[in-house]
C-alpha cells in the first residue's frame, strides 16, 4: 500500500487512543492489515531484480506519495491540536516500509533485512492499478472521515 493511507490510519488510531503505549503498537500493526488488503503499488522487488534498481517512474511515484504522506501528517497534526501522538502514530504506521528503504534505494542487504523483506512480501495482496488504487482511495477517505469525526 502507498504510504499516504498508512499515515492516515496511524494518525487516526493515535487520535482515537490517547495512550501512546497502546496507540503506537496498534498503528504499527495497522500497517500489516492494510498490506493484506488488495492494493496497488509499484513492484519494487520485481524492478530491483530486473533492472538492478528502481526505475525513475517508480522513484517519482514514491517521491510523490511520500510528499503527500508528509503533508497529510503535518495537516492532521496541526488539525489535531498539535498532539505529538498523531506524529508517532503516523510514523509507526509506515515504519515497516521505512525499514525497507535502504534495501531498495541503496542496495543494502543483510540476513535480518532479507527475512523482513520475505515476510513483508508474503503478506502483500496485489491488485491491478484501477482496483488497487480505488481500494486505497476508499481506505484513505474512510480513515480521514474517522479521524475528523473523533475531534
Amino acid at each position: 500500500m502507498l504510504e499516504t493511507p498508512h499515515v492516515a490510519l496511524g494518525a487516526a488510531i493515535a487520535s482515537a487512543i490517547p495512550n501512546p503505549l497502546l496507540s503506537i503498537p496498534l498503528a504499527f500493526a495497522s500497517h500489516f492489515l492494510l498490506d493484506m488488503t488488495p492494493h496497488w503499488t509499484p513492484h519494487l522487488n520485481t524492478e530491483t531484480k530486473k533492472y538492478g534498481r528502481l526505475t525513475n517512474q517508480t522513484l517519482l511515484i514514491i517521491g510523490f506519495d511520500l510528499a503527500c504522506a508528509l503533508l497529510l501528517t503535518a495537516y492532521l497534526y496541526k488539525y489535531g491540536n498539535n498532539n505529538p501522538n498523531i506524529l508517532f502514530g503516523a510514523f509507526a504506521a509506515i515504519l515497516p516500509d521505512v525499514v525497507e528503504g535502504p534495501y531498495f534505494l541503496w542496495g543494502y542487504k543483510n540476513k535480518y533485512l532479507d527475512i523482513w523483506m520475505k515476510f513483508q512480501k508474503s503478506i502483500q495482496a496485489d491488485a491491478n492499478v484501477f482496483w488497487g488504487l480505488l481500494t486505497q482511495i476508499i481506505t484513505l477517505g474512510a480513515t480521514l472521515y474517522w479521524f475528523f469525526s473523533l475531534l
Side-chain angles (χ1 to χ4, degrees), residues 4-142:
T4 304
H6 282 301
V7 299
L9 184 54
I13 290 168
S15 184
I17 303 169
N19 182 346
L21 295 176
L22 294 174
S23 62
I24 293 171
L26 287 173
F28 181 79
S30 76
H31 180 93
F32 305 107
L33 292 176
L34 286 185
D35 276 357
M36 289 187 266
T37 304
H39 63 280
W40 174 87
T41 56
H43 292 277
L44 305 181
N45 283 310
T46 303
E47 283 186 18
T48 303
K49 287 178 183 172
K50 186 174 182 180
Y51 305 114
R53 63 176 188 80
L54 299 177
T55 64
N56 289 337
Q57 180 180 1
T58 293
L59 291 172
L60 186 63
I61 292 168
I62 290 170
F64 179 75
D65 178 39
L66 286 175
C68 289
L70 286 170
L71 289 171
L72 180 60
T73 300
Y75 179 75
L76 296 177
Y77 170 71
K78 184 75 172 163
Y79 195 87
N81 299 316
N82 300 328
N83 178 355
N85 201 33
I86 290 172
L87 295 177
F88 296 136
F91 181 72
I94 63 167
L95 186 58
D97 287 342
V98 170
V99 169
E100 295 178 348
Y103 176 87
F104 289 115
L105 297 175
W106 304 299
Y108 177 77
K109 298 176 183 174
N110 68 43
K111 67 179 182 178
Y112 302 109
L113 191 52
D114 288 342
I115 293 168
W116 183 254
M117 299 288 294
K118 286 178 187 172
F119 167 71
Q120 280 274 80
K121 189 175 179 184
S122 74
I123 65 167
Q124 294 293 320
D126 292 331
N128 68 38
V129 174
F130 176 79
W131 292 111
L133 288 176
L134 181 63
T135 301
Q136 292 184 78
I137 291 167
I138 291 169
T139 300
L140 182 60

